[in-house]
Amino acid sequence: KNEVEQSPQNLTAQEGEFITINCSYSVGISALHWLQQHPGGGIVSLFMLSSGKKKHGRLIATINIQEKHSSLHITASHPRDSAVYICAVKILQGAQKLVFGQGTRLTINP
Amino acid sequence: GAGVSQSPSNKVTEKGKDVELRCDPISGHTALYWYRQSLGQGLEFLIYFQGNSAPDKSGLPSDRFSAERTGGSVSTLTIQRTQQEDSAVYLCASSSHPAGGYTFGSGTRLTVV
């Protein structure tokens, strides 16, 4: 079992829909990252969370440390949001590295 | 620079040849990471540099892989005697400190033929 699990693996929605991507992890962490990877491979860091909730434009990220769970929400989704969204955690004890989920491929149709 | 710069962006090499991949992190970022993303796979950690400390090499898949970081800035990832399974996108990221957010480079797509 992976230390970081994302769901769903693939998500297709219509423009304007509210999107939720989930991330569960099984280890103690110091921080959780949400990353966006567009076709072509470039990765953009969206959020880094250690507690609570963060918002940036139409994107909202939440984390529940007790439940070891985080969600990424996209409001008023748009075709340009189509990308792979990756959850990654920095493990509390151990090497200074990120452990990644497998990613969620999001497609927003016009 | 303004972002993390990686070169080359694409590299095709013959099996058995050595390759060098370069990462130029954001100026002043003390932490530098190399990750690999194989086709259809998730990202995996390769190596981490922090300041003048000994690097964490725990993710390097074999002794054909090595990396160095000169002067606390530019890093080079070297793969010797490349194999087809080395084909992947190699991503570099830097951070102002280990607990900080990351900035990723655009990656080097390595194809071993």
Side-chain angles (χ1 to χ4, degrees):
Chain A
K1 190 181 189 306
N2 292 336
E3 292 167 308
V4 182
E5 296 277 354
Q6 287 185 236
S7 64
Q9 286 187 306
N10 292 280
L11 178 57
T12 300
Q14 291 300 119
E15 183 173 357
E17 287 189 36
F18 181 80
I19 303 300
T20 296
I21 300 171
N22 296 299
C23 176
S24 296
Y25 52 92
S26 57
V27 293
I29 68 169
S30 59
L32 182 144
H33 297 251
W34 280 103
L35 310 171
Q36 180 191 56
Q37 186 173 31
H38 278 283
I43 291 181
V44 174
S45 178
L46 298 176
F47 295 103
M48 183 178 74
L49 294 164
S50 55
S51 65
K53 175 180 175 178
K54 287 190 176 180
K55 184 177 189 293
H56 186 252
R58 296 181 294 105
L59 301 178
I60 303 166
T62 64
I63 188 168
N64 185 316
I65 297 294
Q66 287 73 32
E67 294 186 3
K68 291 186 165 61
H69 181 269
S70 175
S71 293
L72 176 68
H73 305 285
I74 305 174
T75 62
S77 59
H78 189 276
R80 64 175 174 266
D81 298 327
S82 298
V84 176
Y85 292 84
I86 302 168
C87 173
V89 301
K90 184 168 282 188
I91 296 175
L92 192 58
Q93 292 173 335
Q96 289 287 342
K97 64 179 183 181
L98 292 178
V99 177
F100 298 87
Q102 290 297 307
T104 295
R105 183 175 299 278
L106 174 66
T107 303
I108 304 296
N109 293 319
Chain B
V4 177
S5 177
Q6 289 188 245
S7 61
S9 55
N10 282 283
K11 175 73 176 178
V12 180
T13 190
E14 292 181 351
K15 178 181 170 181
K17 294 283 177 75
D18 298 351
V19 294
E20 283 190 352
L21 312 179
R22 176 187 167 106
C23 172
D24 199 344
I26 291 175
S27 179
H29 278 195
T30 58
L32 185 147
Y33 306 79
W34 282 98
Y35 294 93
R36 177 171 76 170
Q37 187 174 36
S38 302
L39 186 64
Q41 303 295 314
L43 284 145
E44 62 174 324
F45 166 78
L46 296 177
I47 188 169
Y48 159 66
F49 295 90
Q50 172 57 43
N52 295 321
S53 303
D56 176 357
K57 305 179 182 179
S58 59
L60 295 178
S62 79
D63 59 8
R64 295 186 295 105
F65 287 71
S66 63
E68 63 178 21
R69 188 178 184 192
T70 53
S73 180
V74 172
S75 177
T76 303
L77 176 69
T78 301
I79 309 173
Q80 296 178 308
R81 304 181 302 282
T82 51
Q83 304 294 314
Q84 287 186 329
E85 62 262 28
D86 300 334
S87 296
V89 175
Y90 290 82
L91 287 153
C92 176
S94 70
S95 177
S96 57
H97 57 87
Y102 290 68
T103 301
F104 283 82
S106 298
T108 294
R109 183 175 298 276
L110 176 66
T111 304
V112 182
V113 297

